Amino acid sequence: MHKKVDRRLLAPVLMGFFIMGFCDMVAPVTSKISEEFSEAQQQAVNFLPSMVFLWFLLLSTPIAALMNRIGRKATAMIGYAFTVVGLLVPYVAGVGSGLEWYFIGFGLLGIGNTAIQVAINPLLATIVPEERMTSYLTVGQIFRNTALLLLAPVMTALSVWLGDWRLLLPIYAGVTILGGVWLQLTSVQEPERAEHTVGLAECFRLLGNRTVLICTLGVACFIAADVGVGFVSGRLIDNPNSIFTITGYYACRIVGTLLGAWILTRVVDVKYLQWNMLLALAMCLGLFFVKADAAVYALAGVLGFTMACVFATFYAVATKSALDRTNEVAGLMILAISAGALSGPICGALIRAVGYSQAGLIWPTLCVCYLLWAATVLKRKSDRKKI
């Protein structure tokens, strides 16, 4: 008998995916923030995305352990609270304030987003059928990518009409408050809570499961590549509106998630992942050589399309390989997101060392190479199960 989807709960949970996207804005807006500071501070500015993703490394498994005790909904509410404060801190500090206020605010944003991602992903997995988990997690990514798609148009509109792109921060804080209230007012039937907390060692013991290990590293490389593309894309075009490269990237991600949600009901998820990673590698290599603005927009868009279903596939494959440890799997998957902290410093260092922006693409290209290898390994494993 197939499990039915609780559509009453689905909407507020998908709203949580939209709010997840707020931490992903840090890499694209770094180029805007850098305009406020001197040349001597530019290297420090490059570490702003790291301030967000650092907390995924430090807190994901402890939060997963806490979630076993207090439940997924309560954990998400804690995340919403930190996210609101984190968004408001740099805005309240005001234009011309010290760089430290951005670090504090984005640090709190990272803490909040860690809690949200640890809670919302398994919450969605709870209310959908196991055989359609990848498809529904892909739908969740549509909402997350929409938050990124709107980033450049909203920032541009705020700059032109009101003279300050930073108004984006209180707007996102207000959306987060609405999402938290909506989820709080929704009655959630959660799995029975554990009587004991799960330690860090128990979470890491799951890495003895080869599938979980491959998927965890896959999520790490996906996030590192995604943040790297966000960091570099706005620098590939010498144009005041170059941030719109990320709009095209995420617009095509949404197209990819919509199409992927349909395709994944008909095609094995790891097989579809392999196809996409082959195309992603070709797009990464192409961006090294194209110069025309239109070509950069086009290749970045296709790259966004190929990255649409990566997280959902790895998360679902790992969860299905350890169905009795879903909270711990969630902790590991979200811990892997901390790899995004590496992208800003590494891409910035590559650009400074070589002297041109395309050099920053070396890092995301290497990450895509791993994703292609992981997809190939998981596909072979899936094929053997069918025999």
Side-chain angles (χ1 to χ4, degrees):
M1 184 177 178
H2 292 298
K3 176 181 178 181
K4 291 185 178 180
V5 178
D6 187 344
R7 299 188 183 279
R8 175 188 53 83
L9 179 58
L10 191 59
V13 171
L14 291 175
M15 181 68 173
F17 280 88
F18 184 85
I19 294 168
M20 280 183 201
F22 295 170
C23 82
D24 297 323
M25 69 154 185
V26 177
V29 303
T30 298
S31 59
K32 278 284 187 184
I33 295 172
S34 67
E35 297 171 5
E36 302 176 22
F37 299 97
S38 66
E39 186 68 29
Q41 294 176 291
Q42 293 304 308
Q43 191 168 350
V45 172
N46 288 342
F47 277 87
L48 283 174
S50 303
M51 199 60 202
V52 174
F53 292 99
L54 171 68
W55 301 105
F56 290 94
L57 174 64
L58 299 178
L59 296 179
S60 56
T61 50
I63 289 175
L66 175 67
M67 185 166 69
N68 274 343
R69 296 176 55 195
I70 68 173
R72 297 170 183 178
K73 179 177 172 180
T75 303
M77 298 306 298
I78 292 171
Y80 287 152
F82 272 95
T83 298
V84 170
V85 176
L87 289 165
L88 291 178
V89 163
Y91 180 76
V92 173
V95 177
S97 59
L99 183 59
E100 65 272 11
W101 292 109
Y102 282 108
F103 274 96
I104 292 169
F106 291 161
L108 293 171
L109 176 63
I111 293 171
N113 215 269
T114 302
I116 293 171
Q117 297 210 43
V118 168
I120 292 295
N121 281 291
L123 196 58
L124 179 62
T126 299
I127 62 176
V128 301
E130 178 189 334
E131 66 275 7
R132 297 192 64 190
M133 191 184 302
T134 305
S135 182
Y136 272 98
L137 286 169
T138 299
V139 172
Q141 294 304 305
I142 295 173
F143 286 80
R144 180 173 184 164
N145 293 334
T146 300
L148 272 297
L149 172 68
L150 295 174
L151 176 65
V154 172
M155 283 179 61
T156 301
L158 291 172
S159 297
V160 172
W161 296 338
L162 301 175
D164 187 5
W165 70 266
R166 297 166 75 259
L167 288 166
L168 178 83
L169 301 174
I171 290 173
Y172 277 2
V175 172
T176 304
I177 292 171
L178 289 175
V181 170
W182 193 4
L183 183 61
Q184 181 62 34
L185 295 176
T186 303
S187 178
V188 180
Q189 185 68 39
E190 298 193 44
E192 186 177 344
R193 296 171 192 173
E195 296 180 358
H196 67 286
T197 58
V198 177
L200 190 64
E202 290 185 61
C203 287
F204 277 103
R205 201 170 292 126
L206 269 179
L207 295 176
N209 179 325
R210 187 165 183 253
T211 298
V212 173
L213 175 61
I214 290 172
C215 291
T216 301
L217 293 175
V219 169
C221 286
F222 162 66
I223 296 298
D226 196 45
V227 175
V229 171
F231 184 91
V232 176
S233 62
R235 295 165 167 82
L236 294 177
I237 298 175
D238 186 15
N239 186 302
N241 295 320
S242 60
I243 195 173
F244 276 93
T245 55
I246 206 66
T247 301
Y249 178 81
Y250 283 103
C252 291
R253 277 272 286 274
I254 291 173
V255 174
T257 49
L258 288 169
L259 186 60
W262 177 78
I263 291 175
L264 287 169
T265 63
R266 294 159 174 81
V267 177
V268 176
D269 49 10
V270 290
K271 183 177 183 180
Y272 186 59
L273 178 64
Q274 186 183 41
W275 294 345
N276 278 288
M277 290 308 96
L278 281 168
L279 184 56
L281 183 57
M283 295 303 101
C284 286
L285 295 174
L287 283 169
F288 279 101
F289 303 104
V290 299
K291 301 294 183 183
D293 291 3
V296 172
Y297 281 120
L299 293 182
V302 176
L303 180 59
F305 179 91
T306 64
M307 302 294 267
C309 303
V310 178
F311 179 85
T313 299
F314 283 127
Y315 188 98
V317 170
T319 299
K320 286 184 281 190
S321 72
L323 284 172
D324 57 333
R325 307 286 296 280
T326 54
N327 282 0
E328 291 86 341
V329 169
L332 284 174
M333 293 292 107
I334 306 309
L335 181 147
I337 291 175
S338 64
L342 301 172
S343 295
I346 290 176
C347 293
L350 287 168
I351 291 171
R352 289 193 303 274
V354 178
Y356 63 97
S357 297
Q358 279 85 351
L361 292 167
I362 294 172
W363 174 244
T365 301
L366 291 174
C367 293
V368 169
C369 288
Y370 174 84
L371 296 176
L372 176 58
W373 175 84
T376 303
V377 171
L378 293 173
K379 181 179 177 295
R380 287 173 182 166
K381 188 171 183 179
S382 175
D383 291 343
R384 284 196 297 268
K385 284 184 178 179
K386 294 177 183 177
I387 298 175

